[in-house]
């Protein structure tokens, strides 16, 4: 559970430490089927909320710490003492704010670029690109290039997920509806407001940040060109199937439903997942909503 919302997170223990675990399938068949167990991988982190690794890197795991605004490395089973990146001075943490997402460029091995999602000291969401230094275990904190800045009307529902699709190598960015209950300004349905959406950006080889011409609303004056999907409350985490590009979106519900949205890899985008009128398959009955649930 993240704040007052129930989202899809890596794992959660107490706010000051967490033990990462890996589930191991035991091949022996027992009376109740396969038995599951856990193995400690590492501990001693401060509010860790995401784990990933660069493409093809089998020796390191990168852990995002929300409140310290640091990215830590587990290398060959050992937690390195020096963070890969620490941007604490420019990050506002607390509640659902902080350093929230990390994605490595598909060509990271050659260009060294990676992208982060954080809340700045003014409460805005910032998507930024950084570059690794000459030391592969330490990034260059002065290399920041801003990709996108989004004003947040409330402190919750910031989203936070970043991911590259295996189908197009574009960067997908999840933004919540901006917060407060039931999206009072209907931001998730407003095509000219970035909130409550998943955005798709072409970052090239790390040098350009543009809306692809193949985005579903690229020629629609009623939508931002970066919008890929809309009608989302807080797409806190999503994931692409690496084999076929199928997209699974974990959207945090208002109170009665949690929503998992599926988009096939062949989709051309433009899907509307219904919020604020629909919470899962349940109609909210809010003003202006007509539902066929």
């Amino acid at each position: 559970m993240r704040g007052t919302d129930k989202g899809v997170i890596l794992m959660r223990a107490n706010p000051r430490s967490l033990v990462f675990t890996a589930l191991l399938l035991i091949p022996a068949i027992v009376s109740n089927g396969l038995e599951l167990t856990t193995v400690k991988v590492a501990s001693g982190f401060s509010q860790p909320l995401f784990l990933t690794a660069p493409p093809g890197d089998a020796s390191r795991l990168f852990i995002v710490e929300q409140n310290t605004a640091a990215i830590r490395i587990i290398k060959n089973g050992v937690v390195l003492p020096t963070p890969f990146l620490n941007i604490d001075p420019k990050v506002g943490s607390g509640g659902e704010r902080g350093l929230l997402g990390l994605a490595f460029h598909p060509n990271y091995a050659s260009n060294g670029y990676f992208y982060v999602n954080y809340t700045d000291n003014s409460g805005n969401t910032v998507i930024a690109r950084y570059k690794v230094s000459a030391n592969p275990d330490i990034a260059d904190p002065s290399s920041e290039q801003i990709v996108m800045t989004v004003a947040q009307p409330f402190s919750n529902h910031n989203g936070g997920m970043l991911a590259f699709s295996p189908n197009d190598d574009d960067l997908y960015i999840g933004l919540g509806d901006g917060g407060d209950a039931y999206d009072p300004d209907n931001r998730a349905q407003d095509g000219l407001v970035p909130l409550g959406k998943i955005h798709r950006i072409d970052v090239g080889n790390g040098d350009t940040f543009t809306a692809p011409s193949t985005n579903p609303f690229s020629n629609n004056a009623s939508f931002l060109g970066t919008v890929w999907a809309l009608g989302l409350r807080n797409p806190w985490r999503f994931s692409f199937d690496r084999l076929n590009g199928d997209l699974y979106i974990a959207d945090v519900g208002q109170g009665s439903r949690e929503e998992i949205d599926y988009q096939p890899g062949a989709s051309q985008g433009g899907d509307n997942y219904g919020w604020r009128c629909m919470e899962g398959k349940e109609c909210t009955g809010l003003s202006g909503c007509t539902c066929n649930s």
Side-chain angles (χ1 to χ4, degrees):
M1 183 172 292
R2 182 173 179 268
T4 58
D5 288 340
K6 300 178 286 297
V8 176
I9 60 176
L10 178 62
M11 299 191 77
R12 180 74 90 175
N14 64 61
R16 297 191 179 278
S17 66
L18 178 145
V19 176
F20 287 103
T21 62
L23 293 176
L24 301 178
L25 290 176
I26 307 301
I29 302 295
V30 295
S31 60
N32 293 325
L34 293 175
E35 181 181 346
L36 299 178
T37 186
T38 59
V39 174
K40 184 196 297 185
V41 176
S43 62
F45 301 98
S46 179
Q47 292 190 322
L49 48 65
F50 191 65
L51 178 151
T52 188
D57 191 331
S59 64
R60 298 182 299 173
L61 295 172
F62 291 69
I63 295 87
V64 175
E65 293 187 336
Q66 178 184 1
N67 66 330
T68 66
I71 299 172
R72 308 285 302 281
I73 295 178
I74 305 172
K75 186 174 184 178
N76 296 319
V78 176
V79 180
L80 300 186
T82 302
F84 176 67
L85 179 71
N86 188 332
I87 54 173
D88 182 64
K90 63 178 61 180
V91 175
S93 299
E96 298 183 20
R97 294 175 166 178
L99 181 59
L100 304 176
L102 166 66
F104 290 93
H105 193 283
N107 298 327
Y108 179 77
S110 59
N111 65 28
Y113 291 134
F114 63 96
Y115 298 78
V116 297
N117 182 323
Y118 68 85
T119 313
D120 69 16
N121 290 309
S122 297
N124 304 311
T125 288
V126 176
I127 311 301
R129 186 197 76 188
Y130 283 87
K131 184 176 174 63
V132 71
S133 71
N135 181 339
D137 293 330
I138 298 178
D140 178 3
S142 67
S143 65
E144 183 182 54
Q145 295 291 320
I146 302 297
V147 177
M148 176 189 292
T149 301
V150 178
Q152 293 284 353
F154 297 95
S155 63
N156 58 340
H157 301 182
N158 286 196
M161 185 66 188
L162 300 172
F164 283 91
S165 167
N167 287 352
D168 53 33
D169 287 348
D170 288 332
L171 180 64
Y172 289 70
I173 301 164
L175 292 175
D177 64 10
D180 208 4
Y182 291 104
D183 190 11
D185 293 325
N186 202 25
R187 293 176 287 266
Q189 291 296 324
D190 188 336
L192 296 176
V193 173
L195 300 167
K197 316 289 192 303
I198 289 179
H199 298 264
R200 177 191 185 216
I201 293 180
D202 180 357
V203 298
N205 200 39
D207 300 321
T208 60
F209 313 127
T210 60
S213 60
T214 52
N215 273 2
F217 304 109
S218 60
N219 296 313
N220 189 331
S222 297
F223 283 84
L224 301 173
T226 57
V227 173
W228 177 257
L230 66 151
L232 294 156
R233 183 174 180 271
N234 193 26
W236 163 234
R237 290 292 180 247
F238 55 82
S239 181
F240 288 99
D241 187 315
R242 285 176 287 181
L243 295 180
N244 57 25
D246 288 353
L247 176 61
Y248 297 85
I249 307 166
D251 195 14
V252 181
Q254 175 66 43
S256 63
R257 304 283 180 96
E258 300 295 77
E259 187 169 308
I260 299 176
D261 299 312
Y262 166 76
Q263 184 185 85
S267 172
Q268 299 302 302
D271 294 307
N272 187 337
Y273 293 103
W275 181 251
R276 69 179 186 136
C277 291
M278 300 295 296
E279 182 185 0
K281 293 185 177 181
E282 182 178 90
C283 184
T284 61
L286 297 172
S287 175
C289 292
T290 301
C291 306
N292 296 314
S293 57

